C-alpha cells in the first residue's frame, strides 16, 4: 500500500509562501538536493496541485540530469477541477483527477507500493487533510520568520502529530517528519 | 552586553495559543522543565509583555514551592514592557516593575546594564517587536507536534521577514523539539 506524503518548504512561522507569493527565501544546498533525490527515489508517483503542475511543467520536462530523469519518468497525477487536459512535454502525460479525490487516492494506494508524494499548495493539502488521506508530513522548516503570507495549516481543525524524525542541514533548514498521532 | 533569550512554546504552524488563549496543546516533559530551570538559573531579569504579565502574575506568586519553577519565577525580578499598565505586583516578592518607554530603547538600556541573561517568556507582541529590531540574541522555541490552524500568532505585524540561523536542536519525549535560533 502506498503512503501519502506531503513534502513542503515552510517558514518557521508556518507559511509556505511569503506575502506576495514570495518564494525567494527557499534555500538549497547539496545535502538538501540529496533529500530531494531520496524522496524521488522512494516515490512511486507524484501528486500535484494545478499551480505546482504549471510551475513544474515550465521547468522539468526540458530539464536533464538524474533527478530530472527520475522526476519526469515518475507517474504523475494532477488534481484540478479547472484544467481540461494535462501534458508533460515529450514524456507520458499525467493523469488528471477532477473530482472524487478519495476514490482516486484509494486506487493509487492499491496500484503502488511506494510513496505517493504530494507537491501542492495549501488548498489541495487542506482538502487531502479533511478527507483524512495524509499519512506523513515532511516540513522543510527554513530558518526565518516571514510574518505573513500563505499559511499551510490555515483554518484546519487542530491536528496532533507524532514526530518521526528530524534532520538538519548546514544551511539551517530542519526537516521534521510527522505522522498522525 | 547581556544576552536576551526569548523562551516560547509554539505549535509547528507558528501559534503560541489557540483562539481562546488556551495552551492545552502544550507538553512539558520533566526534561524540558529542567532545561527551563537551567535557563532561569543563568538569568536575573524576566521580561514580559502586559498580557503575559497579567496571566502569569495571577499564577506564580500563588504556586506552592514544590512546583518546580515557582521559586525561580518568583525570586527573579520581572520587567513589564507596557505603556498602559499603571502598577505591577508580584505577591510578597513585589519585584515586578514597569518599563513604559519605547520598547527598543527600554530593552537596550536593560541589555547594557551589567548582570546575567534576560529571559522573555511568552509575550508574542514584545517578541515580534524585538525580533524586528534584531534585539533578541537567542530564540528558544519549544515546537510542539501539533498544528492549530488558528490562534494567536507568535510572530505578527512584522514589516520585513526576520532571517535566523539555527544554533541547536534537541527532541524531548512526546515529540516537543527545543530549537535555538539567533539572528542571521
Amino acid at each position: 500500500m502506498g503512503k501519502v506524503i506531503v513534502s513542503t518548504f515552510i517558514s518557521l512561522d508556518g507559511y509556505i509562501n511569503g506575502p506576495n507569493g514570495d518564494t525567494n527565501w527557499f534555500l538549497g544546498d547539496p545535502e538538501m538536493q540529496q533529500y530531494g533525490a531520496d524522496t524521488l527515489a522512494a516515490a512511486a508517483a507524484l501528486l500535484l496541485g494545478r499551480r505546482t503542475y504549471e510551475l513544474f511543467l515550465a521547468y522539468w520536462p526540458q530539464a536533464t540530469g538524474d533527478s530530472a530523469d527520475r522526476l519526469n519518468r515518475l507517474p504523475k497525477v494532477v488534481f484540478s477541477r479547472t484544467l481540461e487536459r494535462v501534458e508533460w512535454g515529450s514524456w507520458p502525460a499525467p493523469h488528471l483527477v477532477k473530482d472524487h479525490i478519495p476514490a482516486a487516492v484509494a486506487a493509487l494506494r492499491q496500484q503502488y507500493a511506494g510513496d505517493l508524494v504530494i507537491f501542492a499548495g495549501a488548498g489541495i493539502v487542506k482538502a487531502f487533510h479533511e478527507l483524512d488521506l495524509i499519512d506523513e508530513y515532511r516540513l522543510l522548516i527554513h530558518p526565518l520568520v516571514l510574518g505573513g503570507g500563505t499559511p499551510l495549516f490555515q483554518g484546519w481543525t487542530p491536528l496532533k502529530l507524532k514526530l518521526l524524525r528530524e534532520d538538519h542541514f548546514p544551511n539551517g533548514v530542519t526537516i521534521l517528519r510527522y505522522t498522525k498521532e | 552586553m547581556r544576552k536576551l533569550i526569548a523562551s516560547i512554546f509554539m505549535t509547528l504552524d507558528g501559534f503560541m495559543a489557540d483562539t481562546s488563549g488556551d495552551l492545552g496543546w502544550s507538553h512539558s516533559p520533566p526534561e524540558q522543565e529542567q532545561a527551563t530551570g537551567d535557563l532561569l538559573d543563568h538569568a536575573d531579569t524576566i521580561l514580559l509583555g502586559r498580557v503575559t504579565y497579567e496571566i502569569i502574575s495571577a499564577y506564580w506568586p500563588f504556586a506552592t514551592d514544590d512546583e518546580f519553577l515557582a521559586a525561580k519565577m518568583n525570586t527573579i525580578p520581572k520587567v513589564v514592557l507596557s505603556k498602559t499598565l499603571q502598577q505591577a505586583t508580584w505577591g510578597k516578592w513585589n519585584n515586578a516593575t514597569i518599563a513604559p518607554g519605547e520598547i527598543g530603547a527600554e530593552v537596550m538600556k536593560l541589555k547594557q546594564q551589567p548582570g546575567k541573561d534576560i529571559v522573555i517568556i511568552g509575550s508574542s507582541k514584545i517578541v515580534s517587536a524585538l525580533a524586528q529590531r534584531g534585539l533578541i540574541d537567542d530564540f528558544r522555541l519549544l515546537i510542539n507536534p501539533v498544528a492549530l490552524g488558528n490562534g494567536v500568532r507568535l510572530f505578527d505585524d512584522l514589516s520585513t521577514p526576520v532571517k535566523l540561523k539555527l544554533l541547536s536542536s534537541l527532541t524531548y519525549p512526546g515529540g516537543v523539539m527545543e530549537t535555538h535560533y539567533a539572528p542571521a
Side-chain angles (χ1 to χ4, degrees), chain B residues 6-175:
Chain B
S7 179
I8 301 141
F9 285 95
M10 65 183 277
T11 65
L12 62 90
D13 54 343
F15 294 102
M16 56 165 286
D18 73 12
T19 40
S20 63
D22 190 68
L23 294 172
W25 46 267
S26 64
H27 298 267
S28 291
E31 295 87 344
Q32 179 193 306
E33 294 246 301
Q34 186 64 52
T36 303
D38 294 346
L39 181 79
L40 292 175
D41 284 341
H42 291 94
D44 64 8
T45 308
I46 293 174
L47 199 58
L48 302 167
R50 180 185 55 78
V51 176
T52 301
Y53 157 74
E54 286 175 351
I55 294 167
I56 73 174
S57 65
Y59 179 80
W60 287 111
F62 311 100
T64 51
D65 283 347
D66 56 354
E67 234 187 290
F68 177 64
L69 294 173
K72 299 179 206 295
M73 287 300 301
N74 288 327
T75 53
I76 298 173
K78 271 72 58 179
V79 175
V80 187
L81 291 164
S82 171
K83 291 181 165 59
T84 56
L85 198 66
Q86 295 298 314
Q87 197 191 351
T89 59
W90 202 274
K92 68 179 184 190
W93 293 271
N94 197 23
N95 56 359
T97 53
I98 299 168
E102 193 278 323
I103 178 172
E106 293 282 12
V107 170
M108 271 312 287
K109 205 161 66 186
L110 284 171
K111 288 182 77 168
Q112 281 164 351
Q113 288 166 7
K116 295 158 72 173
D117 294 341
I118 304 167
V119 175
I120 306 178
I121 293 171
S123 309
S124 59
K125 289 208 167 92
I126 300 292
V127 170
S128 293
L130 294 176
Q132 191 80 83
R133 289 165 173 79
L135 289 174
I136 297 175
D137 303 293
D138 182 352
F139 295 85
R140 178 194 189 226
L141 304 177
L142 299 157
I143 302 177
N144 279 248
V146 57
L148 280 181
N150 280 301
V152 182
R153 287 206 163 275
L154 170 56
F155 295 101
D156 222 344
D157 290 330
L158 297 181
S159 53
T160 54
V162 177
K163 289 191 179 175
L164 301 170
K165 64 176 181 234
L166 182 66
L167 298 176
S168 67
S169 150
L170 65 108
T171 310
Y172 292 111

Side-chain angles (χ1 to χ4, degrees), chain A residues 12-15 139 143-147 151 153-156 158-161 163 166 168 172 174 176 178, chain B residues 10 12-14 141 143 145-150 153 155 158 161-164 166 169-171 175 177 181:
Chain A
L12 192 48
D13 51 346
Y15 296 99
L139 306 179
L144 92 166
V145 174
L146 285 173
F153 299 99
Q154 183 65 46
W156 290 31
L159 171 69
K160 282 193 179 176
L161 296 168
L163 184 64
E166 53 171 309
H168 302 285
T174 295
L176 301 183
Y178 292 98
Chain B
M10 65 183 277
L12 62 90
D13 54 343
L141 304 177
I143 302 177
V146 57
L148 280 181
N150 280 301
R153 287 206 163 275
F155 295 101
L158 297 181
V162 177
K163 289 191 179 175
L164 301 170
L166 182 66
S169 150
L170 65 108
T171 310
M177 289 218 351
Y181 288 90

Side-chain angles (χ1 to χ4, degrees), chain A:
Chain A
M1 281 275 281
K3 195 165 66 165
V4 176
I5 297 171
V6 171
S7 177
T8 185
F9 286 22
I10 191 166
S11 70
L12 192 48
D13 51 346
Y15 296 99
I16 55 174
N17 283 308
N20 303 306
D22 294 342
T23 57
N24 56 4
W25 48 276
F26 287 2
L27 297 174
D29 70 11
E31 281 89 351
M32 277 180 73
Q33 279 175 19
Q34 189 57 49
Y35 164 80
D38 292 347
T39 300
L40 288 178
L46 300 183
L47 280 48
L48 307 174
R50 180 186 55 80
R51 256 176 299 180
T52 310
Y53 157 72
E54 287 169 353
L55 282 173
F56 277 26
L57 180 63
Y59 178 76
W60 287 107
Q62 299 80 36
T64 53
D66 289 348
S67 277
D69 285 349
R70 175 75 191 149
L71 188 146
N72 288 325
R73 257 200 313 272
L74 275 175
K76 292 167 207 66
V77 181
V78 178
F79 292 84
S80 168
R81 287 206 176 90
T82 54
L83 291 173
E84 289 303 325
R85 55 179 293 277
V86 289
E87 52 144 341
W88 205 262
S90 58
W91 304 85
H95 180 58
L96 177 63
V97 173
K98 295 171 82 78
D99 215 335
H100 305 298
I101 294 176
V105 172
L108 288 168
R109 285 189 204 267
Q110 288 298 329
Q111 190 178 351
Y112 298 109
D115 296 342
L116 306 170
V117 181
I118 305 181
F119 294 121
I124 296 276
V125 176
K126 185 172 187 229
F128 270 69
H129 160 66
E130 286 172 348
L131 295 165
D132 197 21
L133 295 174
I134 300 169
D135 299 302
E136 187 178 323
Y137 296 84
R138 294 185 186 167
L139 306 179
L140 285 72
I141 300 187
H142 280 54
L144 92 166
V145 174
L146 285 173
T150 311
L152 177 61
F153 299 99
Q154 183 65 46
W156 290 31
T157 49
L159 171 69
K160 282 193 179 176
L161 296 168
K162 194 168 82 183
L163 184 64
L164 296 175
R165 176 173 164 180
E166 53 171 309
D167 294 286
H168 302 285
F169 295 101
N171 60 10
V173 172
T174 295
I175 300 186
L176 301 183
R177 300 183 196 207
Y178 292 98
T179 185
K180 280 178 295 185
E181 197 180 41

